[in-house]
Amino acid sequence: MGEQKPKSVGVWPAVKPFVNGGASGMLATCVIQPVDMIKVRIQLGQGSAADVTKNMLKNEGVRAFYNGLSAGLLRQATYTTARLGTFRILTNKAIEANDGKPLPLYQKALCGLTAGAIGACVGSPADLALIRMQADATLPVAQRRNYTNAFQALYRIVADEGVLSLWKGAGPTVVRAMALNMGMLASYDQSVEFCKDTLGLGEAATVVGASSVSGFFAAACSLPFDYVKTQIQKMQPDAEGKYPYTGSLDCTMKTLKAGGPFKFYTGFPVYCVRIAPHVMVINSLSLSLSLSLSLSLCAAIE
């Protein structure tokens, strides 16, 4: 009777999904940051992708595309670390409960929703700093916050507005993360299974195909919430101390009244371009690793 292989013990097996997710997300952010900057500027009404790019190069220079990079990296170190680690823990537990069989789509979606909500709560302060730093140049000079880095931004937000202000816009941030995770994580895993098992594609083709599919569904599910989140997080009070929106619902209703439902999909092509290549970059870097690690890294977007 053969001896049973002992299970891995120690801290590393437990923290590995979190480390993989955070590190890969930070690396991918360095690549995709300029696209994210253009996306935010489009949502703030600065024009098309071509107009935004041309104006930024003319008026602010190449370095402007990396404004807020420190906040983007901090966001990945918090939001993506928590989201990816939680997602893998949940799916692994679900697979064990399913006697090792692949999970159905609805269970993957539930795991993605839960992981997205947890990650968004953890990463909301860094996300707030990121949006403000990216939007700063669109404000009149007198209204600019001029944060120098993510940590100074967080310190000033707490000092000027209170600790709870770090979670300003957390509602749409959590909902957006849940929608994005549901659309991306579930569709990616499902696409990988279809590409490998049904189409018989190799690993590289599977990564490209599954990343494209998951990027589209993630963008379609989450962009309306991302639009509202951006408007809430960048707003400033007027001369009378009033904000343009009282909350997420007020922002949603005013946007619907002013521009209709398609207004929430402003910048959709750029948003897709931001997500799908981000997933591909991460997974291309992990082709020499196991597929399970590739699946974990794939979700480190945004």
Side-chain angles (χ1 to χ4, degrees), residues 243-263:
Y243 286 94
Y245 308 111
T246 58
S248 301
L249 182 59
D250 183 50
C251 178
T252 300
M253 298 309 297
K254 287 181 177 178
T255 302
L256 275 174
K257 184 178 180 179
F262 288 108
K263 183 68 174 178

Side-chain angles (χ1 to χ4, degrees), residues 90-247:
L90 291 174
T91 52
N92 289 340
K93 292 293 184 182
I95 289 173
E96 287 181 13
N98 203 28
D99 297 326
K101 298 177 183 177
L103 299 180
L105 180 59
Y106 81 92
Q107 289 187 1
K108 295 173 185 173
L110 288 174
C111 290
L113 285 169
T114 304
I118 294 172
C121 289
V122 174
S124 188
D127 189 59
L128 174 64
L130 173 62
I131 293 298
R132 288 190 174 186
M133 293 176 75
Q134 289 178 324
D136 210 38
T138 67
L139 299 172
V141 176
Q143 296 180 17
R144 293 178 185 177
R145 299 177 172 98
N146 297 315
Y147 298 143
T148 57
N149 58 63
F151 295 103
Q152 194 238 12
L154 296 177
Y155 173 80
R156 283 182 51 189
I157 290 170
V158 172
D160 298 340
E161 305 169 49
V163 175
L164 293 181
S165 293
L166 291 174
W167 280 269
K168 184 176 291 184
T173 299
V174 169
V175 176
R176 171 193 174 277
M178 293 172 69
L180 187 144
N181 274 266
M182 182 183 68
M184 182 196 61
L185 295 176
S187 64
Y188 185 87
D189 277 11
Q190 200 73 15
S191 299
V192 165
E193 292 173 10
F194 178 77
C195 290
K196 291 181 70 69
D197 301 337
T198 304
L199 300 182
L201 299 181
E203 192 168 358
T206 295
V207 168
V208 173
S211 298
S212 300
V213 172
S214 66
F216 175 82
F217 280 104
C221 290
S222 65
L223 185 53
F225 306 106
D226 185 82
Y227 181 89
V228 173
K229 174 185 76 71
T230 299
Q231 306 306 315
I232 294 294
Q233 290 179 327
K234 69 91 179 180
M235 66 180 182
Q236 284 191 326
D238 59 18
E240 299 178 353
K242 294 182 179 180
Y243 286 94
Y245 308 111
T246 58

